[in-house]
């Protein structure tokens, strides 16, 4: 049988499926469904230097084949994460990725420093959260700012550094290049696509933040396109995500160029999705006579 | 350590109630009735879930074609079945209402923190509108239960007979007086509050607020079941925020995990 | 009963629904379903200075709640349009919008000049077609280029000029402002969101052009968000589109800030959608006691 | 001129076959059979559409939950019903196959340009695999019809009896020889081509290409039914492009309107 293991920036994952940041908390809830070692890794809820309360509700809305969310980075702060969540997570036999967001480059650096002294496996720098006024998205939309912040954080970060890219940009490949040039070890993409729904009876946006981030199957074609574009532009690995909900989607994203995957919204429909998707990938590899996931990555044959 | 198909299959097979706290069960719809205009009474067979269900908890139902599940309170748990009563509000509940007896519904349950009902004493169970159903199973847990059920009008009255069987006293109110007492549930509560040890309530927020205020006035503990739009339903995604105050600090609790039932004193209205 | 008529840049439409460019050809086919006066207007298939054959097939793929297309602007050229299609269209008792795309600003100007001498009602400048190498998208992604081309075409265009905006950009509001500043009479938005699907069995993109433009319900929340953002930035009218498939969607888009609407992909699911949507809008207006569509436009009440 | 609700309703009521060329009809599924593994034979009742159907045209079927309709050839038109035979290939046809007798299917038909069958003479109707069904109604239009039906193996053979009734001669071939002639449809065509005045074919592109080449060799006119992914189905969106040559100029024709049936000579293979 094919080996589902993947290696991203020197970190070995049991399988290519990583829980997407913000959809999986710090793992405790889903560990009541199955052992977390079922997943290749967990990208934890985005944390900030200080505790954040997040946005007022409503924080979620449904859209055709997708959802909008605007949680606003509710989290207990980096220190609490290190003290309370990380030790427990470490025991779950899965890769632990800490997802961080800051108001300033200095905050990102402070967090990266703190986390560098812990045993998290990787740091995922969220410079693309669309749901907070100063939650990083301003860093994520130009090559200059992405380059600058990557450079700054790279210097104080002793862990493999993943830069998480926003899809709300004109040219994602150039942005990925800037991250690579300044020392990112991998990129993860895509974060949510900014969207909005309005209650026609009240005229009120359904989400209190007015706009929210779209995820789920609806965004999948955009994610695949962007992963393909970025795969042609950079040499560091891509962690692909955005709307993956079946094993076929997972395979498609790998073919487009992803070395590993994150899945988020599908967990809300089906908490067991990771098990089914991993099973499907393994069977597909076997059917195709491939030995590993890496043999599938980037095998797209464009016209 | 690699992940083999055997392991995967094992995981899927092993996810039984005794090992894991959360569980999804494909549940056969065995009874379906439209008990009032647009309000459906479903009985679904899900042995492993039904036996764990507690009063005030909810089920998170998958809807074909929809990304998000729909949270519906557990109205009753009898033997190996759950009873779920819901109102058609939008596309999801409309689709759910089309399920036919014999269809399988994907149920994630029982979820959340329900009512905490003391073994002794008199409890008032107050339901308003579509907040009535969860009070049925709850009412059954109390030594002495007084049910106060509020509806807009006679046509909207549901489950009155079930409550008659389950509770020591049932007061039905309608806003327009077309059935039972003319007035609001608080009007009825006022008449009995002196003899109750606890108030449990579910319904529209203004009603909950009024009930909580009255309970507070009378120094009676009060638990309220809150509603919020949900994602995961288990406490991981943090979307179902409800403003609460603990140790004098305000913050957001989560309806799906810390709730849906909160001590009324905790809720920041 | 409420009046469904709308006025956009001085042009009066019988109702707010306009067939979206490229989904309706030059109207002949759908005129076999119902009189074209059922629609407020028709935005014709995008035309170019010379005839274009378009891309090789496959040109379409399905996605969750949406589609991708890459027709590649197959069209008979502006002269043929003026000679063969326009006279027929003129008899259909509906507003005729000519949608144009060019390889160079000069081509846009030449077409605008030719059309200015005809009786088309409006010109919609497509600077956002993602499916041809030089089909305008390069003009549509920066403020400078949108400003420059709008300025150039404005000078040679005697008809009300609509600039059609691409959603594949970081900041659509600024781009809309540039169009307004250089004399656009209205903007229409959104064109398609670039996406991709891959056949996992062959590794081939499903669409021959590799990427395609996503439309349909999946993109609706992105369209609503963008219309809202642009409505706050400009004072010229917005023709809103992108995934409208029910009357509720139509009302939502109007509330977000659209003065009129285009509908495209929904016609493929239900050719009669315009009739149903118009009926729904009229009933909604009546229910709310509004006299006209204009009274609904922009009535959003953000948090 | 404004658009009133009355007018709107009128439009919806008036869209009858006699006024408009294109029509959609909610068609009751009155018969359903799985005639081979994964191949379904549907009979849908749609009087106004059925009476307009011509050989080689197709129906564009709405699939619940899908944005795009699915094109399925008209296999037969009898009285007020259409017969549609299709194979489950992906999500849309899978969903279609779940329809139950009594369900309503939203059918846009009859679409496209079908086979042009002369009133006199012998016509060979060649179907390959799931290209077989449309040849049935077509075969019925010819004075003398020779049907050549190719399948992978015996298990895949469909509609043989229907063709026996409708055509003067039926030759079935299978790739593996498990039923009928061992070989391809072209092997069978070679044996009869000298006596036919026209060849009509539907099936996989390589088969069509081979059939067209053989017809050409024998100076026999040939019409082929092409497939392409579709949007509107009526010729407006231009997605269903098929490369053709007219007056020595190459360009894209559209399968839904100019086709699905083309003169083989026009097609650029
Ligand atoms: C803990 C809990 C218990 C509930 N118990 C019951 C019950 O027993 N019976 C009953 O009829 N209803 C109950 N509700 C409300 C019920 O969940 C909503 O009416 C339902 O989700 C609406 O879905 P829809 O598809 O009809 O509406 P849509 O508007 O199509 O739904 C769109 C999205 O918004 C969410 N949403 C819309 N309204 C609500 C709401 N009031 N509360 C939460 N989410 C909402 C939906 O879940 C969905 O995600 C409960 C809600 C919660 C939170
Ligand atoms: C004119 C015409 C007549 C046809 N007649 C028949 C028939 O009588 N019986 C039959 O079984 N099949 C027929 N087909 C093929 C049938 O349309 C496809 O098998 C079907 O659309 C596949 O849909 P799906 O949901 O199963 O596949 P999916 O892969 O889920 O479909 C995704 C999209 O691709 C399109 N698509 C995929 N494969 C094809 C294909 N081969 N041709 C056209 N579009 C495709 C689908 O329509 C859909 O838009 C015909 C096709 C055409 C163009
Ligand atoms: C409720 C929710 C919360 C999220 N929070 C974060 C976050 O804190 N940090 C982050 O980088 N991404 C966050 N995301 C984005 C996801 O990690 C992911 O990029 C996105 O949802 C696309 O993947 P999906 O379609 O599989 O969900 C969040 C997404 C959702 C749905
Ligand atoms: C098949 C197809 C062809 C299109 N061709 C054009 C075009 O030629 N010019 C143009 O400006 N937009 C074109 N579009 C974009 C639409 O006009 C519209 O902006 C988009 O489809 C979003 O609206 P919808 O979701 O209602 O379809 C095309 C869209 C489709 C689906
Ligand atoms: S719904 Fe996810 S935390 Fe409550
Ligand atoms: S499917 Fe639209 S032109 Fe053929």
């Amino acid at each position: 049988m094919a080996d589902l293991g993947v290696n991203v920036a020197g970190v070995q994952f049991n399988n290519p499926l990583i829980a997407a940041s913000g959809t999986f908390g710090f793992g405790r809830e889903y560990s009541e469904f199955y052992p977390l070692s079922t997943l290749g890794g967990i990208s934890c809820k985005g944390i900030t230097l200080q505790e954040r309360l997040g946005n007022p509700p409503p924080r979620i809305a449904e859209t055709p084949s997708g959802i909008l969310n605007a949680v606003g980075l509710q989290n207990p702060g980096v220190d609490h994460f290190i003290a309370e969540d990380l030790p427990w997570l470490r025991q779950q036999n899965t890769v632990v990725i800490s997802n961080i967001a800051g108001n300033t480059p200095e905050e990102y650096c402070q967090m990266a420093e703190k986390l560098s002294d812990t045993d998290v496996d990787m740091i995922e720098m969220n410079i693309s959260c669309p749901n907070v006024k100063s939650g990083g998205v301003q860093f994520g939309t130009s090559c200059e700012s992405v380059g600058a912040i990557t450079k700054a954080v790279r210097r104080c970060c002793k862990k493999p550094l993943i830069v998480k890219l926003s899809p709300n940009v004109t040219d994602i490949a150039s942005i990925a290049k800037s991250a690579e040039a300044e020392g990112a070890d991998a990129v993860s993409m895509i974060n949510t696509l900014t969207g909005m729904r309005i209650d026609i009876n009240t005229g009120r946006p359904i989400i209190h933040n007015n706009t929210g981030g779209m995820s789920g199957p609806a965004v999948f074609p955009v994610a695949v396109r962007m992963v393909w574009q970025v795969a042609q532009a950079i040499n560091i690995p891509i962690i692909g995500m955005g709307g993956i909900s079946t094993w076929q989607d997972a395979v498609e994203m790998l073919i487009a160029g992803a070395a590993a995957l994150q899945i988020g919204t599908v967990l809300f429909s089906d908490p067991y999705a990771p098990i089914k998707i991993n099973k499907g990938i393994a069977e597909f590899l076997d059917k195709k006579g491939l030995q590993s996931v890496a043999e599938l990555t980037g095998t797209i044959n464009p016209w | 350590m690699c992940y083999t198909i055997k392991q995967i299959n094992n995981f899927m097979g092993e996810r039984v109630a005794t090992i894991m706290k959360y569980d999804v069960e494909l549940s056969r719809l065995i009874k379906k009735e439209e008990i009032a205009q647009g309000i459906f009474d479903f009985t679904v067979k899900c042995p492993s879930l039904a036996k764990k269900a507690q009063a005030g908890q909810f089920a998170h139902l998958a809807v074909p074609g929809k990304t998000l599940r729909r949270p519906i309170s557990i109205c009753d748990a009898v033997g190996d079945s759950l009873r779920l009563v819901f109102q058609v509000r939008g596309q999801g509940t409309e689709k759910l209402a089309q399920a036919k007896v014999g269809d399988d519904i994907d149920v994630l349950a029982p979820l959340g923190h329900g009512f905490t009902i003391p073994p002794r004493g008199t409890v008032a169970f107050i339901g308003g509108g579509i907040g009535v159903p969860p009070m049925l199973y709850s009412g059954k847990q109390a030594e002495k239960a007084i049910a106060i059920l509020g509806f807009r009008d006679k046509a909207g009255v549901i489950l009155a007979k079930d409550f008659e069987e389950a509770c020591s006293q049932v007061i039905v109110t309608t806003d327009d007086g077309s059935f039972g007492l003319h007035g609001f549930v608080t009007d009825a509560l006022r008449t009995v509050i002196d003899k109750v040890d606890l108030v449990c309530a579910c319904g529209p927020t203004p009603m909950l607020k009024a009930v909580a205020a009255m309970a507070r006035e009378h120094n009676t503990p009060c638990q309220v079941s809150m509603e919020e739009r949900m994602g995961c339903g288990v406490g991981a995604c943090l979307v179902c925020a409800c403003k609460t105050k603990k140790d004098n600090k305000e913050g957001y609790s989560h309806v799906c995990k810390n709730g849906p039932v909160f001590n009324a004193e905790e809720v920041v209205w």
Side-chain angles (χ1 to χ4, degrees), chain A, chain B:
Chain A
M1 213 205 65
D3 179 5
L4 281 182
V6 297
N7 189 296
V8 178
V11 177
Q12 184 66 28
F13 295 72
N14 285 335
N15 65 63
L17 292 188
I18 303 165
S21 178
T23 64
F24 209 76
F26 301 106
R28 291 189 205 261
E29 292 77 16
Y30 282 94
S31 79
E32 307 275 11
F33 284 102
Y34 36 74
L36 295 186
S37 60
T38 302
L39 287 155
I42 297 172
S43 175
C44 299
K45 173 65 197 170
I47 52 176
T48 48
L49 198 55
Q50 309 298 334
E51 179 186 6
R52 278 181 63 100
L53 297 186
N55 295 330
R59 294 178 175 182
I60 191 168
E62 203 173 38
T63 72
S65 296
I67 63 171
L68 297 178
N69 91 82
V71 170
L73 284 175
Q74 174 171 12
N75 81 92
V78 63
D79 293 332
H80 183 279
F81 168 73
I82 293 172
E84 304 293 328
D85 298 301
L86 188 53
W88 181 85
L89 274 165
R90 265 289 57 122
Q91 292 160 26
Q92 307 307 313
N93 196 9
T94 193
V95 170
V96 178
I97 301 172
S98 177
N99 178 290
I100 60 172
N103 293 316
T104 61
E106 293 66 43
E107 284 191 7
Y108 278 98
C109 289
Q110 277 176 273
M111 280 187 276
E113 267 164 17
K114 282 178 190 250
L115 290 162
S116 289
D117 295 336
T118 69
D119 51 5
V120 297
D121 294 299
M122 307 179 92
I123 293 178
E124 181 174 53
M125 186 164 72
N126 177 7
I127 49 168
S128 48
C129 180
N131 300 326
V132 293
K133 295 243 158 41
S134 48
V137 74
Q138 76 278 27
F139 302 119
T141 52
S142 84
C143 292
E144 298 67 43
S145 57
V146 170
I149 194 160
T150 307
K151 190 173 181 180
V153 175
R154 175 68 291 173
R155 267 203 295 257
C156 47
C157 175
K158 302 195 201 96
K159 304 285 181 179
L161 180 64
I162 307 166
V163 176
K164 182 158 180 182
L165 305 179
S166 168
N168 302 299
V169 297
T170 308
D171 180 3
I172 198 163
S174 300
I175 289 185
K177 274 189 189 172
S178 302
E180 180 183 40
E182 297 298 351
D185 298 299
V187 295
S188 61
M189 58 190 287
I190 56 175
N191 209 318
T192 52
L193 209 50
T194 307
M196 182 181 213
R197 292 305 304 266
I198 305 168
D199 180 330
I200 60 171
N201 288 310
T202 61
R204 276 267 188 218
I206 291 180
I207 289 193
H208 197 286
N209 189 51
N210 292 326
T211 62
M214 189 157 92
S215 61
V219 307
F220 181 68
V222 175
V224 170
R225 181 262 293 186
M226 289 186 166
V227 165
W228 178 61
Q229 290 177 328
V230 168
Q232 293 168 82
I234 64 174
N235 294 308
I236 52 175
I238 299 169
I239 301 176
M241 79 189 91
I244 296 171
S245 63
T246 64
W247 68 261
Q248 288 92 337
D249 296 340
V251 165
E252 190 171 332
M253 189 67 96
L254 292 165
I255 291 174
L261 306 170
Q262 288 187 20
I263 51 170
T265 305
V266 66
L267 296 163
F268 305 166
S269 317
D270 181 6
Y272 300 104
I275 297 169
K276 298 174 189 170
I277 295 174
N278 266 331
K279 187 162 177 274
I281 298 173
E283 287 170 356
F284 183 83
L285 292 175
D286 284 350
K287 203 184 90 186
K288 291 275 169 181
L290 300 174
Q291 304 300 313
S292 70
V293 171
E295 288 180 26
L296 198 56
T297 292
T299 54
I300 182 171
N301 177 16
W303 296 89
Chain B
M1 188 207 82
C2 175
Y3 194 82
T4 66
I5 293 214
K6 186 156 165 292
Q7 281 180 300
I8 293 168
N9 286 335
N10 281 350
F11 288 150
M12 292 303 286
E14 275 170 18
R15 54 177 178 84
V16 288
T18 48
I19 301 188
M20 293 298 175
K21 178 175 162 199
Y22 292 135
D23 202 8
V24 171
E25 200 168 336
L26 265 189
S27 311
R28 183 64 47 91
L29 179 58
I30 55 176
K31 205 173 146 223
K32 173 187 174 179
E33 201 185 330
E34 186 168 357
I35 56 175
Q37 165 90 38
I39 299 186
F40 290 83
D41 183 350
F42 275 22
T43 303
V44 295
K45 195 170 164 177
C46 46
S48 77
L49 308 181
K51 68 164 180 263
K52 292 195 289 184
Q54 282 166 29
Q57 287 189 304
F58 69 96
H60 215 23
L61 308 186
V63 182
K66 293 280 158 189
T67 308
L68 294 176
R69 291 171 177 265
R70 299 301 192 261
I72 302 293
S73 298
I74 291 169
C75 167
D76 205 353
V78 183
D80 56 10
S81 298
L82 288 178
R83 190 168 168 195
L84 305 166
V85 173
F86 66 92
Q87 183 169 32
V88 172
R89 298 292 265 299
Q91 289 183 358
T93 45
E94 194 180 320
K95 181 88 191 173
L96 260 187
Q98 287 163 11
K100 300 194 182 84
V101 169
D103 287 354
D104 285 330
I105 299 177
D106 173 334
V107 179
L108 165 55
L111 300 180
H113 169 87
F115 290 105
T116 308
I117 309 205
R120 298 268 162 267
T122 303
V123 184
F125 292 95
I126 307 184
I130 198 62
V132 163
M135 308 323 280
L136 181 61
Y137 190 50
S138 308
K140 293 185 178 178
Q141 315 303 317
E143 188 189 22
K144 190 157 184 297
I146 302 176
I148 302 177
L149 315 176
F151 303 96
R152 191 158 310 158
D153 55 23
K154 191 177 170 185
V157 175
I158 53 170
L159 303 176
K161 244 187 77 196
D162 298 83
F163 277 92
E164 293 288 356
E165 281 167 26
C167 302
S168 351
Q169 188 186 346
V170 180
I171 311 176
V172 175
T173 69
T174 51
D175 300 357
D176 67 354
S178 54
F179 189 90
L181 270 185
H182 187 169
F184 298 123
V185 289
T186 37
D187 300 324
L189 177 60
R190 187 171 298 116
T191 66
V192 299
I193 192 151
D194 288 331
K195 47 182 176 171
V196 307
D197 304 303
L198 169 67
V199 174
C200 293
C202 182
T205 306
M207 178 200 103
L208 295 180
K209 202 173 159 182
V211 167
M214 187 174 289
R216 183 176 200 161
E217 249 173 55
H218 291 78
N219 268 316
T220 312
C222 178
Q223 299 172 21
V224 290
S225 180
M226 305 296 289
E227 268 193 17
E228 194 43 70
R229 286 171 184 255
M230 291 188 178
C232 68
V234 297
C237 74
L238 311 186
V239 304
C240 59
C242 169
K243 193 156 232 175
T244 53
K245 194 194 264 173
K246 276 179 208 152
D247 312 327
N248 251 327
K249 198 183 142 200
E250 284 193 5
Y252 289 111
S253 291
H254 294 97
V255 170
C256 70
K257 192 181 181 181
N258 313 113
V261 177
F262 293 91
N263 274 323
E265 293 299 299
E266 272 180 60
V267 177
V268 180
W269 298 98

